[in-house]
Amino acid sequence: MPDSHADNGYQALELVWALRLKTPVNLLSDRLSCLESHDPGEAEISDSLSHSLRRLWTLDKFAYSLRVFLAFSGAIALSWALDQIALAIPLFLGIIASALSETDDNWEGRVRALLVTLICFFVASTSVELLFPWPWLFAPGLALSAFVLIMLGAIEQRYATIASATLILSVYSMINIEQHGGTTDGNFWHQPLLLVGGAAWYGLISVIWCLLFSRQPVKQSMAQLYRELGEYLIIKATLFEPLRGLDVEARRVALARQNGRVVMALNQAKEMIFRRLEGQRGSRKLNRYLRLYFIAQDIHERVSASHYPYSALAETFFHHDVLFRCQRLLDQQGRACKRLGKALLLRQPFDHSLSEQALEDLRASIVYLRAQRNPAWTPLLRSLQALARNLATLEDQLSSAHNPDAVADQKDASLFNRSPRSFKDAWERVRLNLTPGSPTFRHALRLPIALLVGYGVLHLVHPTQGFWILLTTLFVCRPNFGATRRFLRQRIIGTVLGLVVGWALISLFPDPLMQSLIAIVAGVVFFANREKHYVIATAAITTLVLASFNQVGDGFDLIMPRLIDTLIGAVISGLAVFFILPDWQGRRLHKVAGAALAGSSAYLREIIHQYEAGKQDDLAYRLARRNAHNADAALSTVLANMLQEPGHYRKKDADEGFRFLVVSHTLLGYLSALGAHRGTLAASERDTDTYVAARRLAEGFDAIAAGLSAREAIPDFKTEQNDLIAVFEQEPTSAQDDGDDERRLIQAQLAHISRQLVPMSEAAARLIETQTQAHDEKAVETS
């Protein structure tokens, strides 16, 4: 999508880096440059460099890494200017903690968050300085502060991020004190001010950057959203592969997992837009991104839609090309979504002509099948035509995303604010998590105990350089076993790799200035890779530590303590997550599954309300749709975490859980198709019985969800399912009119949904049975 007006911050970067965008003025400038150079090769190199820099700017981690680079460089420059290289260590530690606490916001929100962060940092660091000489006071203070900070994370994600960074800075303060011989020399405020000064320096860079480039993160999140949507479409296309004996269940599991990534991208994009819309509703560019977000929501609903069991379609039309046409169209639309994401970032034209041609081919194939006049194909052709209309509307949405300014503003463009609205609301969120059933509460108890054990171990067996044990415990100990196991392994591998690389670099480059540059580069590498490549990130931060500490002492003496402390901290974290209030995902699988089904039922009720009152993409409908997909994604995440747990805790639950996920995602697909066809049928009294039966259907799903959540027996829905199918499969009794085809389509879709009652109840019953057996086996082992 070409953007006609560049952001102010983007223009500033153009002036610095001479990024020549393809506006008329820039084109003229390019041509003049080519004439002046008299060298086509030189002009080609210049264009290539400009394109490369522009692509670099589009990377989501580039801006983050550049801010870190500026902060580290400033800290090193100050240290060298004052001829006090030792200042670099506390400044570096403060910068790292501040960068870890950074949350997405507009610049005013970033200022508020920075002030809260700096206050938390100063209080934490000062408390460490004051209590450090008295271990018997220090230990309970450490445990209590860890518990409180983790529980504050229950309020909202930004509070969780700030709380986690505050704990990290507390351990950095301990390491900094230990580096100075374990004493404050009477100036307890000196080191905290240096740490907070480093944090404030990065925070200042972050605020200025946010002020200059406020919309760049939104653009990147929208591009990521369309990339994930494109991948979902491509996976969905594989379901239409015209092969007999296709492993549809495995592909549906893959589709459900990708749906979780799409939902995550949708939520992230929504939060980014919402934070910037506060007070800026009139901003044309922000409204453009809001329209793109609503288009992505509609595409997601349409691509999630299922109109008929694919196995039946494959069996009936095996010798025809219609399913191949469906597969090709979905695949091309997926690739078009990915191209749209790229066009958003590079501000280039967006081409979706291949998917347009694929749509025309699909229509021609359906016309050919209709011309055969085979009565047995009538219900299937009706579903195929509905599918074609749905994909045609999806194609229209892709076309409108190409130029969102031409799209009429949505009547209800409000977004649901999930942030706490008052102190009472915030406290209520914390209070609801003060129960052993809450994963946040379990982690808030587990981590302080692990830190206390680590604190005791470092005093008993490793009195020097021992606070790396606490830092490792803090980074490795996660709320669930699967994540802890993954980070434990990656932390150890990364530390060993970093120690080897760091040892080699400080041996080859003994010059302090060169080691300062190595530290800066290592810090940038850490922040560029910490989310996706944790091994590389750990190796980089270990190299930074060796290069920095080697300038104020002997970095070689740190190698073995760092390795031993990492191993000790990793072992403590692994044992803690296994033995201290373990949060085995299988124990709450039935509740998460029940919540997913309850979300789908609420979505069905809202769809029926839309059919009765008329199509309106209001907040209530969009919220019900988003909640259903969020719950489905949460179920997929729990099952993925279960696969990382010991076999004894997952061997049966995971299998039944994935079977339930397939049925649940199939149901969500049929619901999405029903929602996608809103507005095709005008409300009529003739449809009263249909809507009443649809609410009975929702009540059935509610009953299954309630039984799942309470782990109680699931009723038999065979009779209810047959009765509902009979209602939905009744032919219209009136004379043929324009609405009958649409009415048959809606009734057929509700019949497909009804056919999920028995499979859903059976999947739920099997899930409850396996969980009950696992609980009984656990009780026998305990006795």
Side-chain angles (χ1 to χ4, degrees), residues 385-575:
Q385 285 180 302
L387 172 62
R389 286 198 299 270
N390 188 43
L391 294 179
T393 306
L394 195 156
E395 190 68 27
D396 291 340
Q397 294 286 19
L398 281 174
S399 179
S400 61
H402 170 59
N403 184 21
D405 289 332
V407 180
D409 286 333
Q410 190 158 330
K411 293 181 180 179
D412 184 359
S414 56
L415 298 174
F416 183 68
N417 184 8
R418 298 183 183 273
S419 301
R421 295 172 177 79
S422 63
F423 178 81
K424 181 180 179 182
D425 188 15
W427 164 246
E428 184 64 17
R429 296 189 184 190
V430 174
R431 188 188 65 80
L432 290 175
N433 280 275
L434 289 173
T435 169
S438 166
T440 301
F441 181 78
R442 288 170 174 261
H443 185 57
L445 285 179
R446 185 187 307 121
L447 182 60
I449 295 174
L451 291 175
L452 284 178
V453 172
Y455 187 68
V457 170
L458 74 89
H459 276 284
L460 288 174
V461 300
H462 208 303
T464 60
Q465 304 289 359
F467 286 96
W468 299 106
I469 295 175
L470 299 185
L471 189 65
T472 300
T473 302
L474 199 57
F475 275 109
V476 171
C477 190
R478 301 287 168 144
N480 61 73
F481 181 87
T484 301
R485 178 181 178 180
R486 184 171 63 254
F487 278 95
L488 186 152
R489 182 178 64 254
Q490 294 176 349
R491 184 81 180 181
I492 293 175
I493 296 173
T495 299
V496 173
L497 180 62
L499 290 175
V500 173
V501 173
W503 168 80
L505 289 176
I506 62 178
S507 299
L508 291 171
F509 304 102
D511 182 66
L513 179 59
M514 183 60 69
Q515 291 183 9
S516 296
L517 295 177
I518 290 172
I520 292 174
V521 172
V524 172
V525 172
F526 168 73
F527 282 99
N529 292 278
R530 70 183 186 89
E531 292 182 356
K532 294 183 179 180
H533 308 286
Y534 193 68
V535 171
I536 298 175
T538 304
I541 200 68
T542 303
T543 302
L544 181 149
V545 168
L546 290 184
S548 300
F549 280 74
N550 193 57
Q551 299 182 63
V552 296
D554 190 354
F556 295 96
D557 290 341
L558 188 62
I559 292 177
M560 287 308 297
R562 172 84 174 185
L563 177 60
I564 295 172
D565 291 346
T566 297
L567 294 175
I568 294 174
V571 170
I572 291 173
S573 300
L575 293 176

Side-chain angles (χ1 to χ4, degrees), residues 696-697 700 704 714-726 754-763 765-766:
R696 280 174 52 196
L697 179 57
I704 300 173
I714 304 296
D716 185 357
F717 282 94
K718 291 181 180 178
T719 302
E720 179 71 0
Q721 174 177 293
N722 292 332
D723 291 344
L724 289 171
I725 292 174
S754 299
R755 291 188 178 92
Q756 298 303 306
L757 259 179
V758 171
M760 185 67 73
S761 63
E762 291 175 347
R766 288 194 301 268

Side-chain angles (χ1 to χ4, degrees), residues 650-669:
R650 65 173 170 85
K651 55 186 177 182
K652 292 183 179 179
D653 289 354
D655 292 340
E656 296 302 336
F658 277 109
R659 291 189 181 95
F660 184 91
L661 177 64
V662 169
V663 180
S664 176
H665 198 68
T666 301
L667 171 63
L668 190 56

Side-chain angles (χ1 to χ4, degrees), residues 625-648:
R625 178 176 62 189
R626 185 58 38 223
N627 287 341
H629 281 281
N630 281 338
D632 182 76
L635 176 60
S636 179
T637 300
V638 166
L639 289 168
N641 289 333
M642 284 182 67
L643 296 179
Q644 300 293 322
E645 295 178 349
H648 175 72

Side-chain angles (χ1 to χ4, degrees), residues 197-346:
W201 166 233
Y202 177 82
L204 177 63
I205 294 174
S206 176
V207 170
I208 294 174
W209 192 281
C210 187
L211 182 62
L212 293 175
F213 310 110
S214 61
R215 284 181 285 275
Q216 183 67 9
V218 181
K219 186 182 297 184
Q220 290 171 336
S221 70
M222 293 304 304
Q224 177 66 20
L225 170 57
Y226 278 97
R227 282 196 297 268
E228 297 294 352
L229 272 174
E231 189 62 30
Y232 187 89
L233 274 157
I234 291 171
I235 296 175
K236 183 69 176 285
T238 63
L239 292 176
F240 287 89
E241 193 168 1
L243 293 175
R244 293 191 177 102
L246 192 67
D247 189 358
V248 176
E249 185 170 313
R251 299 191 180 191
R252 283 198 175 278
V253 169
L255 194 66
R257 288 179 173 176
Q258 180 60 28
N259 184 63
R261 298 185 186 97
V262 175
V263 169
M264 186 183 302
L266 278 166
N267 291 337
Q268 182 183 23
K270 191 267 286 186
E271 291 299 323
M272 284 189 171
I273 296 171
F274 181 82
R275 289 167 187 163
R276 287 161 177 80
L277 278 175
E278 294 176 304
Q280 299 187 52
R281 275 284 175 179
S283 172
R284 184 185 63 83
K285 293 178 182 177
L286 283 179
N287 287 334
R288 169 183 293 182
Y289 290 124
L290 184 61
R291 286 191 287 270
L292 280 170
Y293 170 76
F294 286 136
I295 290 171
Q297 273 196 325
D298 190 75
I299 291 176
H300 184 219
E301 181 174 54
R302 293 186 180 282
V303 73
S304 301
S306 296
H307 290 81
Y308 207 86
Y310 301 115
S311 57
L313 291 173
E315 185 66 30
T316 303
F317 299 113
F318 184 78
H319 298 289
H320 300 274
D321 69 347
V322 67
L323 290 186
F324 168 76
R325 299 299 179 187
C326 290
Q327 181 185 20
R328 176 169 171 76
L329 174 56
L330 278 167
D331 184 79
Q332 289 298 327
Q333 287 178 333
R335 298 181 189 281
C337 279
K338 289 188 172 184
R339 287 195 296 271
L340 174 58
K342 185 177 180 180
L344 279 168
L345 290 175
L346 297 177

Side-chain angles (χ1 to χ4, degrees), residues 18-80:
L19 298 181
R20 295 188 302 276
L21 302 180
K22 301 306 179 184
T23 59
V25 174
N26 297 133
L27 282 171
L28 179 60
S29 175
D30 286 348
R31 291 172 182 173
L32 288 175
S33 298
C34 291
L35 290 173
E36 290 173 0
S37 67
H38 300 286
D39 187 351
E42 182 179 338
E44 184 177 344
I45 293 174
S46 177
D47 288 341
S48 177
L49 178 61
S50 173
H51 182 70
S52 298
L53 290 175
R54 198 181 310 158
R55 288 183 64 86
L56 184 64
W57 171 247
T58 64
L59 299 177
D60 57 345
K61 291 301 178 185
F62 174 72
Y64 192 27
S65 302
L66 185 57
R67 291 196 298 271
V68 171
F69 172 78
L70 294 174
F72 280 148
S73 300
I76 284 291
L78 178 65
S79 302
W80 279 87

